[in-house]
PDB file of all heavy atoms in Angstrom:
ATOM      1  N   THR A 229     104.403  94.356 112.904  1.00  0.00           N
ATOM      2  CA  THR A 229     104.331  94.218 111.487  1.00  0.00           C
ATOM      3  C   THR A 229     102.999  95.124 111.039  1.00  0.00           C
ATOM      4  O   THR A 229     103.096  95.832 110.061  1.00  0.00           O
ATOM      5  CB  THR A 229     104.213  92.795 110.860  1.00  0.00           C
ATOM      6  OG1 THR A 229     103.236  92.105 111.616  1.00  0.00           O
ATOM      7  CG2 THR A 229     105.496  92.183 111.114  1.00  0.00           C
ATOM      8  N   LEU A 230     101.937  94.844 111.755  1.00  0.00           N
ATOM      9  CA  LEU A 230     100.567  95.490 111.456  1.00  0.00           C
ATOM     10  C   LEU A 230     100.754  97.089 111.706  1.00  0.00           C
ATOM     11  O   LEU A 230     100.227  97.873 111.005  1.00  0.00           O
ATOM     12  CB  LEU A 230      99.544  95.021 112.176  1.00  0.00           C
ATOM     13  CG  LEU A 230      99.240  93.432 111.829  1.00  0.00           C
ATOM     14  CD1 LEU A 230      98.034  93.022 112.589  1.00  0.00           C
ATOM     15  CD2 LEU A 230      99.048  93.213 110.387  1.00  0.00           C
ATOM     16  N   ALA A 231     101.563  97.313 112.825  1.00  0.00           N
ATOM     17  CA  ALA A 231     101.681  98.854 113.111  1.00  0.00           C
ATOM     18  C   ALA A 231     102.511  99.478 112.099  1.00  0.00           C
ATOM     19  O   ALA A 231     102.159 100.641 111.686  1.00  0.00           O
ATOM     20  CB  ALA A 231     102.311  98.930 114.432  1.00  0.00           C
ATOM     21  N   MET A 232     103.657  98.958 111.530  1.00  0.00           N
ATOM     22  CA  MET A 232     104.275  99.552 110.538  1.00  0.00           C
ATOM     23  C   MET A 232     103.561  99.660 109.168  1.00  0.00           C
ATOM     24  O   MET A 232     103.694 100.708 108.450  1.00  0.00           O
ATOM     25  CB  MET A 232     105.727  98.696 110.269  1.00  0.00           C
ATOM     26  CG  MET A 232     106.663  99.389 109.245  1.00  0.00           C
ATOM     27  SD  MET A 232     106.964 101.133 109.694  1.00  0.00           S
ATOM     28  CE  MET A 232     108.441 100.944 110.679  1.00  0.00           C
ATOM     29  N   ALA A 233     102.733  98.626 108.869  1.00  0.00           N
ATOM     30  CA  ALA A 233     101.916  98.643 107.796  1.00  0.00           C
ATOM     31  C   ALA A 233     100.952  99.873 107.821  1.00  0.00           C
ATOM     32  O   ALA A 233     100.613 100.564 106.677  1.00  0.00           O
ATOM     33  CB  ALA A 233     101.096  97.376 107.434  1.00  0.00           C
ATOM     34  N   ALA A 234     100.333 100.017 109.089  1.00  0.00           N
ATOM     35  CA  ALA A 234      99.488 101.225 109.253  1.00  0.00           C
ATOM     36  C   ALA A 234     100.184 102.516 109.031  1.00  0.00           C
ATOM     37  O   ALA A 234      99.646 103.418 108.432  1.00  0.00           O
ATOM     38  CB  ALA A 234      98.895 101.166 110.696  1.00  0.00           C
ATOM     39  N   LYS A 235     101.416 102.673 109.485  1.00  0.00           N
ATOM     40  CA  LYS A 235     102.131 103.889 109.326  1.00  0.00           C
ATOM     41  C   LYS A 235     102.406 104.190 107.881  1.00  0.00           C
ATOM     42  O   LYS A 235     102.401 105.273 107.267  1.00  0.00           O
ATOM     43  CB  LYS A 235     103.478 103.881 110.119  1.00  0.00           C
ATOM     44  CG  LYS A 235     103.251 104.022 111.540  1.00  0.00           C
ATOM     45  CD  LYS A 235     104.576 104.061 112.273  1.00  0.00           C
ATOM     46  CE  LYS A 235     104.479 104.374 113.775  1.00  0.00           C
ATOM     47  NZ  LYS A 235     104.085 103.240 114.584  1.00  0.00           N
ATOM     48  N   ALA A 236     102.829 102.996 107.099  1.00  0.00           N
ATOM     49  CA  ALA A 236     102.920 103.117 105.639  1.00  0.00           C
ATOM     50  C   ALA A 236     101.738 103.623 104.905  1.00  0.00           C
ATOM     51  O   ALA A 236     101.779 104.385 104.051  1.00  0.00           O
ATOM     52  CB  ALA A 236     103.556 101.842 105.099  1.00  0.00           C
ATOM     53  N   ARG A 237     100.616 103.085 105.303  1.00  0.00           N
ATOM     54  CA  ARG A 237      99.335 103.528 104.733  1.00  0.00           C
ATOM     55  C   ARG A 237      99.049 104.907 104.982  1.00  0.00           C
ATOM     56  O   ARG A 237      98.543 105.677 104.157  1.00  0.00           O
ATOM     57  CB  ARG A 237      98.194 102.607 105.237  1.00  0.00           C
ATOM     58  CG  ARG A 237      98.079 101.228 104.630  1.00  0.00           C
ATOM     59  CD  ARG A 237      96.812 100.573 104.958  1.00  0.00           C
ATOM     60  NE  ARG A 237      96.554 100.305 106.341  1.00  0.00           N
ATOM     61  CZ  ARG A 237      96.915  99.319 106.930  1.00  0.00           C
ATOM     62  NH1 ARG A 237      97.641  98.241 106.252  1.00  0.00           N
ATOM     63  NH2 ARG A 237      96.679  99.024 108.317  1.00  0.00           N
ATOM     64  N   GLU A 238      99.432 105.462 106.187  1.00  0.00           N
ATOM     65  CA  GLU A 238      99.262 107.021 106.482  1.00  0.00           C
ATOM     66  C   GLU A 238     100.030 107.780 105.397  1.00  0.00           C
ATOM     67  O   GLU A 238      99.497 108.838 104.938  1.00  0.00           O
ATOM     68  CB  GLU A 238      99.879 107.248 107.828  1.00  0.00           C
ATOM     69  CG  GLU A 238      98.842 106.681 108.964  1.00  0.00           C
ATOM     70  CD  GLU A 238      99.396 107.119 110.383  1.00  0.00           C
ATOM     71  OE1 GLU A 238     100.357 108.006 110.462  1.00  0.00           O
ATOM     72  OE2 GLU A 238      99.157 106.331 111.320  1.00  0.00           O
ATOM     73  N   TYR A 239     101.245 107.444 105.070  1.00  0.00           N
ATOM     74  CA  TYR A 239     102.064 108.083 104.232  1.00  0.00           C
ATOM     75  C   TYR A 239     101.404 108.040 102.790  1.00  0.00           C
ATOM     76  O   TYR A 239     101.305 109.024 102.065  1.00  0.00           O
ATOM     77  CB  TYR A 239     103.516 107.578 104.009  1.00  0.00           C
ATOM     78  CG  TYR A 239     104.516 108.097 104.979  1.00  0.00           C
ATOM     79  CD1 TYR A 239     104.613 107.670 106.384  1.00  0.00           C
ATOM     80  CD2 TYR A 239     105.240 109.223 104.651  1.00  0.00           C
ATOM     81  CE1 TYR A 239     105.595 108.263 107.257  1.00  0.00           C
ATOM     82  CE2 TYR A 239     106.208 109.787 105.459  1.00  0.00           C
ATOM     83  CZ  TYR A 239     106.340 109.406 106.782  1.00  0.00           C
ATOM     84  OH  TYR A 239     107.309 109.881 107.627  1.00  0.00           O
ATOM     85  N   LYS A 240     100.920 106.799 102.421  1.00  0.00           N
ATOM     86  CA  LYS A 240     100.454 106.652 101.163  1.00  0.00           C
ATOM     87  C   LYS A 240      99.126 107.508 100.973  1.00  0.00           C
ATOM     88  O   LYS A 240      98.877 108.108  99.916  1.00  0.00           O
ATOM     89  CB  LYS A 240     100.074 105.193 100.871  1.00  0.00           C
ATOM     90  CG  LYS A 240     101.270 104.354 100.668  1.00  0.00           C
ATOM     91  CD  LYS A 240     100.849 102.874 100.605  1.00  0.00           C
ATOM     92  CE  LYS A 240     102.005 101.951 100.317  1.00  0.00           C
ATOM     93  NZ  LYS A 240     101.814 100.483 100.139  1.00  0.00           N
ATOM     94  N   SER A 241      98.225 107.608 102.070  1.00  0.00           N
ATOM     95  CA  SER A 241      97.084 108.474 101.962  1.00  0.00           C
ATOM     96  C   SER A 241      97.373 110.022 101.796  1.00  0.00           C
ATOM     97  O   SER A 241      96.562 110.735 101.379  1.00  0.00           O
ATOM     98  CB  SER A 241      96.280 108.338 103.394  1.00  0.00           C
ATOM     99  OG  SER A 241      97.055 108.921 104.462  1.00  0.00           O
ATOM    100  N   ARG A 242      98.626 110.306 102.051  1.00  0.00           N
ATOM    101  CA  ARG A 242      99.154 111.736 101.839  1.00  0.00           C
ATOM    102  C   ARG A 242      99.797 111.797 100.482  1.00  0.00           C
ATOM    103  O   ARG A 242     100.326 112.949 100.118  1.00  0.00           O
ATOM    104  CB  ARG A 242     100.109 112.220 103.021  1.00  0.00           C
ATOM    105  CG  ARG A 242      99.457 112.427 104.254  1.00  0.00           C
ATOM    106  CD  ARG A 242     100.274 112.271 105.462  1.00  0.00           C
ATOM    107  NE  ARG A 242     101.496 112.852 105.397  1.00  0.00           N
ATOM    108  CZ  ARG A 242     102.653 112.551 106.196  1.00  0.00           C
ATOM    109  NH1 ARG A 242     102.262 111.643 107.374  1.00  0.00           N
ATOM    110  NH2 ARG A 242     103.779 113.047 106.072  1.00  0.00           N
ATOM    111  N   GLY A 243      99.737 110.754  99.603  1.00  0.00           N
ATOM    112  CA  GLY A 243     100.159 110.962  98.278  1.00  0.00           C
ATOM    113  C   GLY A 243     101.644 110.559  98.178  1.00  0.00           C
ATOM    114  O   GLY A 243     102.273 110.814  97.107  1.00  0.00           O
ATOM    115  N   ILE A 244     102.159 110.059  99.166  1.00  0.00           N
ATOM    116  CA  ILE A 244     103.694 109.770  99.209  1.00  0.00           C
ATOM    117  C   ILE A 244     103.851 108.319  98.679  1.00  0.00           C
ATOM    118  O   ILE A 244     103.146 107.311  99.280  1.00  0.00           O
ATOM    119  CB  ILE A 244     104.313 109.857 100.575  1.00  0.00           C
ATOM    120  CG1 ILE A 244     104.244 111.406 100.916  1.00  0.00           C
ATOM    121  CG2 ILE A 244     105.708 109.402 100.641  1.00  0.00           C
ATOM    122  CD1 ILE A 244     104.614 111.699 102.411  1.00  0.00           C
ATOM    123  N   ASN A 245     104.752 108.054  97.841  1.00  0.00           N
ATOM    124  CA  ASN A 245     104.986 106.723  97.194  1.00  0.00           C
ATOM    125  C   ASN A 245     105.779 105.889  98.228  1.00  0.00           C
ATOM    126  O   ASN A 245     107.017 105.899  98.221  1.00  0.00           O
ATOM    127  CB  ASN A 245     105.666 106.787  95.894  1.00  0.00           C
ATOM    128  CG  ASN A 245     105.973 105.429  95.290  1.00  0.00           C
ATOM    129  OD1 ASN A 245     105.441 104.418  95.609  1.00  0.00           O
ATOM    130  ND2 ASN A 245     107.020 105.392  94.417  1.00  0.00           N
ATOM    131  N   VAL A 246     105.225 105.135  99.114  1.00  0.00           N
ATOM    132  CA  VAL A 246     105.788 104.150  99.953  1.00  0.00           C
ATOM    133  C   VAL A 246     105.822 102.831  99.417  1.00  0.00           C
ATOM    134  O   VAL A 246     104.786 102.276  98.930  1.00  0.00           O
ATOM    135  CB  VAL A 246     105.118 104.203 101.356  1.00  0.00           C
ATOM    136  CG1 VAL A 246     105.704 103.158 102.284  1.00  0.00           C
ATOM    137  CG2 VAL A 246     105.151 105.577 101.923  1.00  0.00           C
ATOM    138  N   ILE A 247     107.043 102.188  99.454  1.00  0.00           N
ATOM    139  CA  ILE A 247     107.204 100.766  99.031  1.00  0.00           C
ATOM    140  C   ILE A 247     107.154  99.988 100.396  1.00  0.00           C
ATOM    141  O   ILE A 247     108.036 100.138 101.244  1.00  0.00           O
ATOM    142  CB  ILE A 247     108.618 100.560  98.323  1.00  0.00           C
ATOM    143  CG1 ILE A 247     108.551 101.442  97.084  1.00  0.00           C
ATOM    144  CG2 ILE A 247     108.733  99.084  97.973  1.00  0.00           C
ATOM    145  CD1 ILE A 247     109.790 101.235  96.321  1.00  0.00           C
ATOM    146  N   SER A 248     106.165  99.014 100.345  1.00  0.00           N
ATOM    147  CA  SER A 248     105.969  98.282 101.652  1.00  0.00           C
ATOM    148  C   SER A 248     106.749  96.933 101.624  1.00  0.00           C
ATOM    149  O   SER A 248     106.390  96.160 100.734  1.00  0.00           O
ATOM    150  CB  SER A 248     104.592  98.042 101.906  1.00  0.00           C
ATOM    151  OG  SER A 248     104.450  97.239 103.075  1.00  0.00           O
ATOM    152  N   LEU A 249     107.764  96.789 102.505  1.00  0.00           N
ATOM    153  CA  LEU A 249     108.339  95.491 102.629  1.00  0.00           C
ATOM    154  C   LEU A 249     108.181  94.960 104.092  1.00  0.00           C
ATOM    155  O   LEU A 249     109.020  94.284 104.617  1.00  0.00           O
ATOM    156  CB  LEU A 249     109.885  95.684 102.343  1.00  0.00           C
ATOM    157  CG  LEU A 249     110.348  96.287 101.030  1.00  0.00           C
ATOM    158  CD1 LEU A 249     111.807  96.257 100.882  1.00  0.00           C
ATOM    159  CD2 LEU A 249     109.677  95.518  99.840  1.00  0.00           C
ATOM    160  N   SER A 250     107.077  95.432 104.712  1.00  0.00           N
ATOM    161  CA  SER A 250     106.975  95.090 106.092  1.00  0.00           C
ATOM    162  C   SER A 250     106.041  93.938 106.475  1.00  0.00           C
ATOM    163  O   SER A 250     106.221  93.239 107.426  1.00  0.00           O
ATOM    164  CB  SER A 250     106.358  96.441 106.761  1.00  0.00           C
ATOM    165  OG  SER A 250     105.147  96.797 106.280  1.00  0.00           O
ATOM    166  N   LEU A 251     105.088  93.656 105.508  1.00  0.00           N
ATOM    167  CA  LEU A 251     104.099  92.536 105.710  1.00  0.00           C
ATOM    168  C   LEU A 251     104.702  91.266 105.174  1.00  0.00           C
ATOM    169  O   LEU A 251     105.205  91.222 104.043  1.00  0.00           O
ATOM    170  CB  LEU A 251     102.787  92.800 105.241  1.00  0.00           C
ATOM    171  CG  LEU A 251     101.898  93.792 106.043  1.00  0.00           C
ATOM    172  CD1 LEU A 251     100.529  94.125 105.292  1.00  0.00           C
ATOM    173  CD2 LEU A 251     101.675  93.273 107.502  1.00  0.00           C
ATOM    174  N   GLY A 252     104.333  90.179 105.799  1.00  0.00           N
ATOM    175  CA  GLY A 252     104.616  88.918 105.412  1.00  0.00           C
ATOM    176  C   GLY A 252     103.527  88.321 104.352  1.00  0.00           C
ATOM    177  O   GLY A 252     102.891  87.423 104.719  1.00  0.00           O
ATOM    178  N   GLU A 253     103.321  88.958 103.338  1.00  0.00           N
ATOM    179  CA  GLU A 253     102.201  88.786 102.460  1.00  0.00           C
ATOM    180  C   GLU A 253     102.623  88.427 100.999  1.00  0.00           C
ATOM    181  O   GLU A 253     103.323  89.322 100.447  1.00  0.00           O
ATOM    182  CB  GLU A 253     101.262  89.893 102.345  1.00  0.00           C
ATOM    183  CG  GLU A 253     100.042  89.717 101.522  1.00  0.00           C
ATOM    184  CD  GLU A 253      98.826  90.197 102.179  1.00  0.00           C
ATOM    185  OE1 GLU A 253      98.685  91.303 102.776  1.00  0.00           O
ATOM    186  OE2 GLU A 253      97.706  89.412 101.967  1.00  0.00           O
ATOM    187  N   PRO A 254     102.359  87.256 100.414  1.00  0.00           N
ATOM    188  CA  PRO A 254     102.656  86.992  99.121  1.00  0.00           C
ATOM    189  C   PRO A 254     102.143  88.071  98.225  1.00  0.00           C
ATOM    190  O   PRO A 254     100.988  88.438  98.436  1.00  0.00           O
ATOM    191  CB  PRO A 254     102.172  85.592  98.754  1.00  0.00           C
ATOM    192  CG  PRO A 254     102.041  84.915 100.094  1.00  0.00           C
ATOM    193  CD  PRO A 254     101.752  86.051 101.110  1.00  0.00           C
ATOM    194  N   ASP A 255     102.972  88.398  97.188  1.00  0.00           N
ATOM    195  CA  ASP A 255     102.382  89.361  96.210  1.00  0.00           C
ATOM    196  C   ASP A 255     101.708  88.801  95.065  1.00  0.00           C
ATOM    197  O   ASP A 255     101.342  89.438  94.188  1.00  0.00           O
ATOM    198  CB  ASP A 255     103.544  90.358  95.741  1.00  0.00           C
ATOM    199  CG  ASP A 255     104.700  89.535  95.080  1.00  0.00           C
ATOM    200  OD1 ASP A 255     105.089  88.588  95.612  1.00  0.00           O
ATOM    201  OD2 ASP A 255     105.141  90.006  93.984  1.00  0.00           O
ATOM    202  N   PHE A 256     101.560  87.439  95.116  1.00  0.00           N
ATOM    203  CA  PHE A 256     100.836  86.655  94.056  1.00  0.00           C
ATOM    204  C   PHE A 256      99.448  86.501  94.400  1.00  0.00           C
ATOM    205  O   PHE A 256      99.053  86.758  95.530  1.00  0.00           O
ATOM    206  CB  PHE A 256     101.458  85.286  93.896  1.00  0.00           C
ATOM    207  CG  PHE A 256     102.942  85.217  93.579  1.00  0.00           C
ATOM    208  CD1 PHE A 256     103.896  85.043  94.478  1.00  0.00           C
ATOM    209  CD2 PHE A 256     103.326  85.377  92.216  1.00  0.00           C
ATOM    210  CE1 PHE A 256     105.219  84.970  94.105  1.00  0.00           C
ATOM    211  CE2 PHE A 256     104.590  85.308  91.923  1.00  0.00           C
ATOM    212  CZ  PHE A 256     105.619  85.146  92.918  1.00  0.00           C
ATOM    213  N   LYS A 257      98.598  86.474  93.352  1.00  0.00           N
ATOM    214  CA  LYS A 257      97.230  86.035  93.593  1.00  0.00           C
ATOM    215  C   LYS A 257      97.057  84.542  93.982  1.00  0.00           C
ATOM    216  O   LYS A 257      97.733  83.787  93.529  1.00  0.00           O
ATOM    217  CB  LYS A 257      96.361  86.444  92.344  1.00  0.00           C
ATOM    218  CG  LYS A 257      96.437  87.945  91.867  1.00  0.00           C
ATOM    219  CD  LYS A 257      95.926  88.880  92.956  1.00  0.00           C
ATOM    220  CE  LYS A 257      95.879  90.364  92.453  1.00  0.00           C
ATOM    221  NZ  LYS A 257      95.615  91.249  93.457  1.00  0.00           N
ATOM    222  N   THR A 258      95.984  84.373  94.628  1.00  0.00           N
ATOM    223  CA  THR A 258      95.560  82.864  94.828  1.00  0.00           C
ATOM    224  C   THR A 258      95.454  82.192  93.506  1.00  0.00           C
ATOM    225  O   THR A 258      94.820  82.737  92.577  1.00  0.00           O
ATOM    226  CB  THR A 258      94.318  82.816  95.558  1.00  0.00           C
ATOM    227  OG1 THR A 258      94.414  83.483  96.933  1.00  0.00           O
ATOM    228  CG2 THR A 258      93.929  81.264  95.845  1.00  0.00           C
ATOM    229  N   PRO A 259      96.211  81.062  93.343  1.00  0.00           N
ATOM    230  CA  PRO A 259      96.106  80.355  92.001  1.00  0.00           C
ATOM    231  C   PRO A 259      94.597  80.164  91.533  1.00  0.00           C
ATOM    232  O   PRO A 259      93.671  79.816  92.307  1.00  0.00           O
ATOM    233  CB  PRO A 259      96.826  79.049  92.205  1.00  0.00           C
ATOM    234  CG  PRO A 259      97.752  79.371  93.303  1.00  0.00           C
ATOM    235  CD  PRO A 259      97.110  80.344  94.281  1.00  0.00           C
ATOM    236  N   LYS A 260      94.490  80.201  90.168  1.00  0.00           N
ATOM    237  CA  LYS A 260      93.146  80.194  89.667  1.00  0.00           C
ATOM    238  C   LYS A 260      92.367  79.017  89.892  1.00  0.00           C
ATOM    239  O   LYS A 260      91.142  79.001  90.213  1.00  0.00           O
ATOM    240  CB  LYS A 260      93.272  80.392  88.107  1.00  0.00           C
ATOM    241  CG  LYS A 260      92.038  80.871  87.378  1.00  0.00           C
ATOM    242  CD  LYS A 260      91.875  82.390  87.669  1.00  0.00           C
ATOM    243  CE  LYS A 260      90.642  82.918  86.969  1.00  0.00           C
ATOM    244  NZ  LYS A 260      90.266  84.311  87.204  1.00  0.00           N
ATOM    245  N   HIS A 261      93.014  77.863  90.019  1.00  0.00           N
ATOM    246  CA  HIS A 261      92.309  76.663  90.244  1.00  0.00           C
ATOM    247  C   HIS A 261      91.736  76.593  91.576  1.00  0.00           C
ATOM    248  O   HIS A 261      90.692  75.991  91.834  1.00  0.00           O
ATOM    249  CB  HIS A 261      93.178  75.407  89.884  1.00  0.00           C
ATOM    250  CG  HIS A 261      94.135  75.106  90.895  1.00  0.00           C
ATOM    251  ND1 HIS A 261      95.323  75.902  90.970  1.00  0.00           N
ATOM    252  CD2 HIS A 261      94.305  74.174  91.936  1.00  0.00           C
ATOM    253  CE1 HIS A 261      96.140  75.436  91.926  1.00  0.00           C
ATOM    254  NE2 HIS A 261      95.583  74.349  92.429  1.00  0.00           N
ATOM    255  N   ILE A 262      92.366  77.317  92.550  1.00  0.00           N
ATOM    256  CA  ILE A 262      91.942  77.308  93.951  1.00  0.00           C
ATOM    257  C   ILE A 262      90.686  78.274  93.985  1.00  0.00           C
ATOM    258  O   ILE A 262      89.583  77.934  94.691  1.00  0.00           O
ATOM    259  CB  ILE A 262      93.036  77.729  94.952  1.00  0.00           C
ATOM    260  CG1 ILE A 262      94.159  76.695  94.834  1.00  0.00           C
ATOM    261  CG2 ILE A 262      92.415  77.897  96.255  1.00  0.00           C
ATOM    262  CD1 ILE A 262      95.451  77.202  95.624  1.00  0.00           C
ATOM    263  N   GLN A 263      90.787  79.388  93.273  1.00  0.00           N
ATOM    264  CA  GLN A 263      89.525  80.229  93.214  1.00  0.00           C
ATOM    265  C   GLN A 263      88.415  79.410  92.551  1.00  0.00           C
ATOM    266  O   GLN A 263      87.297  79.695  93.113  1.00  0.00           O
ATOM    267  CB  GLN A 263      90.004  81.469  92.250  1.00  0.00           C
ATOM    268  CG  GLN A 263      91.040  82.347  92.755  1.00  0.00           C
ATOM    269  CD  GLN A 263      91.243  83.435  91.781  1.00  0.00           C
ATOM    270  OE1 GLN A 263      90.334  84.132  91.190  1.00  0.00           O
ATOM    271  NE2 GLN A 263      92.529  83.878  91.709  1.00  0.00           N
ATOM    272  N   GLU A 264      88.623  78.659  91.559  1.00  0.00           N
ATOM    273  CA  GLU A 264      87.504  77.949  90.954  1.00  0.00           C
ATOM    274  C   GLU A 264      86.924  76.908  91.938  1.00  0.00           C
ATOM    275  O   GLU A 264      85.759  76.641  91.821  1.00  0.00           O
ATOM    276  CB  GLU A 264      88.142  77.259  89.716  1.00  0.00           C
ATOM    277  CG  GLU A 264      88.433  78.167  88.512  1.00  0.00           C
ATOM    278  CD  GLU A 264      87.287  78.991  88.084  1.00  0.00           C
ATOM    279  OE1 GLU A 264      86.108  78.611  88.089  1.00  0.00           O
ATOM    280  OE2 GLU A 264      87.519  80.183  87.684  1.00  0.00           O
ATOM    281  N   GLY A 265      87.790  76.400  92.803  1.00  0.00           N
ATOM    282  CA  GLY A 265      87.298  75.406  93.772  1.00  0.00           C
ATOM    283  C   GLY A 265      86.277  76.126  94.778  1.00  0.00           C
ATOM    284  O   GLY A 265      85.288  75.518  95.097  1.00  0.00           O
ATOM    285  N   ALA A 266      86.641  77.415  95.087  1.00  0.00           N
ATOM    286  CA  ALA A 266      85.614  78.136  95.935  1.00  0.00           C
ATOM    287  C   ALA A 266      84.392  78.408  95.211  1.00  0.00           C
ATOM    288  O   ALA A 266      83.291  78.345  95.714  1.00  0.00           O
ATOM    289  CB  ALA A 266      86.343  79.463  96.390  1.00  0.00           C
ATOM    290  N   LYS A 267      84.512  78.903  93.909  1.00  0.00           N
ATOM    291  CA  LYS A 267      83.325  79.204  93.117  1.00  0.00           C
ATOM    292  C   LYS A 267      82.525  77.937  92.963  1.00  0.00           C
ATOM    293  O   LYS A 267      81.155  78.138  92.998  1.00  0.00           O
ATOM    294  CB  LYS A 267      83.665  79.690  91.681  1.00  0.00           C
ATOM    295  CG  LYS A 267      84.458  81.053  91.757  1.00  0.00           C
ATOM    296  CD  LYS A 267      84.873  81.467  90.390  1.00  0.00           C
ATOM    297  CE  LYS A 267      85.607  82.798  90.269  1.00  0.00           C
ATOM    298  NZ  LYS A 267      86.173  83.027  88.960  1.00  0.00           N
ATOM    299  N   SER A 268      82.920  76.677  92.671  1.00  0.00           N
ATOM    300  CA  SER A 268      82.298  75.558  92.682  1.00  0.00           C
ATOM    301  C   SER A 268      81.372  75.344  93.952  1.00  0.00           C
ATOM    302  O   SER A 268      80.214  74.899  93.882  1.00  0.00           O
ATOM    303  CB  SER A 268      83.153  74.446  92.276  1.00  0.00           C
ATOM    304  OG  SER A 268      83.688  74.548  90.992  1.00  0.00           O
TER     305      SER A 268
END
């Protein structure tokens, strides 16, 4: 998964629009109240 993500980044660095569906990563941000817990 990390190897394919690295290859996709190579394409992106050359200005090619790659859509990445390779990583198991939520596309949401960490909820705000959890961020606030860390800040506190």
